[in-house]
Amino acid sequence: MASKTAEYQLKIPSRTDNLELIREFVSKVAQMVGFGKEDIEKIELACDEACTNVIKHAYDTESEKNQLDVLVKVDLDKFTLIVTDHGKGFDPKGLKMPDMKEYMAELKVGGLGIYLIKTLMDEVDYNINPGVKNQVKMVKYLLNQKNSQVVNSGNMHS
């Protein structure tokens, strides 16, 4: 039996003033597939952080040719959000997760985008090919697996 996957795509210039449109696009698709308000806000924020990183860091110059692609794939069990750019990329292995106690103690501002994305989404993966195609793939499961495990383990003890 073939799985059913629906795809929704937004191709847009990589500009800060397009972030609201991107958030609205992703939010509407997440709402359409049945996520609750809390999960929709998490998906929106993760997408916003990924797109902000592209806008701030992917391209050296501003140009209408600098594109940002947002692809949402929805199947029976998951919502996959892929943000693609064609800029200079980065090395995700070189990123360190912040020490939040130190971060808060020093009253730092910014630099939490990747941390937030990894915290808000169920899976995050990078496919980086600088100057050609860079992708951040974020997955949110329709059924919260953590809750499912709690329910299942609760049933085992009753």
Side-chain angles (χ1 to χ4, degrees), residues 9-14 53-55 57-61 64-70 82-90 127-136:
Q9 188 165 24
L10 179 66
K11 292 185 174 217
I12 196 163
S14 177
N53 283 343
V54 170
I55 293 165
H57 306 293
Y59 302 104
D60 290 329
T61 58
E64 288 296 313
K65 293 179 182 175
N66 296 341
Q67 290 291 302
L68 174 62
D69 302 339
V70 179
I82 301 171
V83 175
T84 303
D85 70 76
H86 304 280
K88 58 187 174 187
F90 67 101
N127 186 2
I128 306 298
N129 193 356
V132 180
K133 185 162 93 175
N134 308 301
Q135 292 184 318
V136 179

Side-chain angles (χ1 to χ4, degrees), residues 42 45-46 49 97 112-121:
K42 288 178 181 178
L45 181 55
E49 291 294 334
M97 294 318 284
L112 293 177
I114 301 293
Y115 171 79
L116 285 173
I117 291 168
K118 287 185 173 182
T119 302
L120 297 168
M121 300 299 283

Side-chain angles (χ1 to χ4, degrees), residues 6 18 28-29 32 34 37 40-41 43 45 53-54 57-58 67 78 87 105 109 123 127 130 139-141 144 146:
N18 285 329
K28 293 286 184 193
V29 176
M32 187 175 67
K37 184 179 177 185
I40 291 171
E41 289 173 353
I43 292 167
L45 181 55
N53 283 343
V54 170
H57 306 293
Q67 290 291 302
K78 65 187 175 196
V109 176
E123 293 177 14
N127 186 2
V139 174
K140 190 76 166 171
Y141 287 96
N144 186 323
K146 290 178 184 172

